[in-house]
């Protein structure tokens, strides 16, 4: 029954505990060495063996999930999510089960996050607990606060602004653009 800042701090603490566990469970996660040689996705007969192909695949997935998010936002579920966010007591007085709505929202966020993590792992072909630090969580919160919670275009713009130095350097532009697309996609969940 945590709310507001306490929920945020607890979430950050929980993510740090999971990161430390992932680092220390050498047999399962490989520890700081991570999981190596993750194969690239293969979609039906389309082999995503280059960064350019993967770039277009990730953007296609991101656009489809963005459209799905907008569709959900304008559905009964979306109205319930917004209502719980705005005034949970009023929703409860109408007889709706807040726990059920929150579980639905967290499950949907977990599905989006899992898809984003899978895209990230298959793009890098390597994943380690050191890739997901508290700094990354804080940058997501900054993007949310400045870009606007619930504003998809604002989030995409903030993601681009925060990572524009990577775009400006020109180092592996397709690779960094893929990763940034994945990060934007994960922000949609939040």
């Amino acid at each position: 029954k945590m709310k507001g800042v306490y929920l945020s701090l607890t979430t950050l603490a929980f993510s740090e505990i999971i990161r430390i566990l992932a680092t220390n469970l050498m047999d399962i996660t490989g520890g700081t060495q991570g999981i190596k040689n993750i194969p690239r996705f293969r979609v039906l007969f389309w082999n995503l063996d280059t960064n350019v192909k993967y770039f277009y695949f990730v953007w296609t997935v991101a656009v489809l999930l963005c459209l799905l998010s907008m569709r959900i936002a304008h559905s009964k579920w979306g109205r319930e999510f917004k209502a719980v966010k705005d005034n949970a007591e009023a929703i409860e007085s109408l007889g709706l089960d807040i726990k059920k709505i929150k579980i639905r929202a967290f499950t949907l966020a977990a599905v989006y996050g899992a898809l984003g993590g899978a895209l990230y792992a298959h793009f890098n072909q390597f994943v380690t607990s050191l890739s997901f630090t508290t700094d990354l969580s804080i940058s997501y919160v900054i993007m949310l606060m400045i870009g606007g919670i619930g504003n998809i275009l604002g989030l995409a713009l903030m993601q681009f602004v925060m990572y524009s130095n990577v775009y400006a350097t020109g180092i592996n532009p397709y690779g960094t653009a893929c990763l940034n697309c994945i990060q934007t996609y994960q922000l949609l969940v939040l």
Side-chain angles (χ1 to χ4, degrees):
K1 293 194 174 199
M2 288 182 256
K3 295 180 184 178
V5 175
Y6 299 109
L7 179 62
S8 302
L9 291 174
T10 304
T11 303
L12 284 173
F14 183 71
S15 69
E16 193 64 18
I17 290 168
I18 296 299
R19 189 185 65 78
I20 291 169
L21 274 174
T23 302
N24 291 327
L25 294 174
M26 301 283 283
D27 296 336
I28 299 171
T29 63
T32 56
Q33 300 300 314
I35 300 171
K36 302 173 188 173
N37 300 323
I38 300 171
R40 286 281 177 110
F41 274 133
R42 184 180 180 92
V43 180
L44 299 175
F45 301 106
W46 193 29
N47 192 7
L48 304 171
D49 53 352
T50 66
N51 286 345
V52 176
K53 290 178 184 177
Y54 205 81
F55 172 80
Y56 289 115
F57 174 71
V58 168
W59 270 104
T60 303
V61 170
V63 167
L64 289 173
L65 289 171
C66 184
L67 292 172
L68 179 65
S69 294
M70 288 191 280
R71 179 86 174 154
I72 290 171
H74 291 64
S75 72
K76 180 183 175 186
W77 281 13
R79 289 189 298 274
E80 287 176 349
F81 295 158
K82 185 167 176 24
V84 167
K85 182 186 91 164
D86 291 341
N87 193 346
E89 290 81 18
I91 294 304
E92 198 168 33
S93 70
L94 292 174
L96 294 174
D97 188 5
I98 292 179
K99 288 181 185 176
K100 193 176 194 179
I101 295 169
K102 286 183 178 183
I103 289 172
R104 192 179 305 140
F106 281 118
T107 303
L108 187 62
V111 168
Y112 272 56
L115 287 171
L119 290 172
Y120 178 82
H122 285 278
F123 173 73
N124 278 337
Q125 297 179 311
F126 168 77
V127 68
T128 178
S129 61
L130 301 176
S131 303
F132 307 101
T133 61
T134 306
D135 294 342
L136 184 64
S137 297
I138 291 170
S139 70
Y140 285 165
V141 171
I142 291 169
M143 285 184 233
L144 277 168
M145 292 181 76
I146 297 173
I149 295 174
N151 183 354
I152 293 171
L153 293 176
L155 292 175
L157 180 65
M158 266 317 296
Q159 178 273 329
F160 182 79
V161 167
M162 287 187 72
Y163 290 97
S164 59
N165 61 342
V166 176
Y167 291 120
T169 60
I171 300 170
N172 191 3
Y174 287 110
T176 54
C178 262
L179 291 176
N180 290 337
C181 175
I182 291 167
Q183 290 169 347
T184 302
Y185 160 71
Q186 289 172 335
L187 278 174
L188 292 176
V189 177
L190 298 173

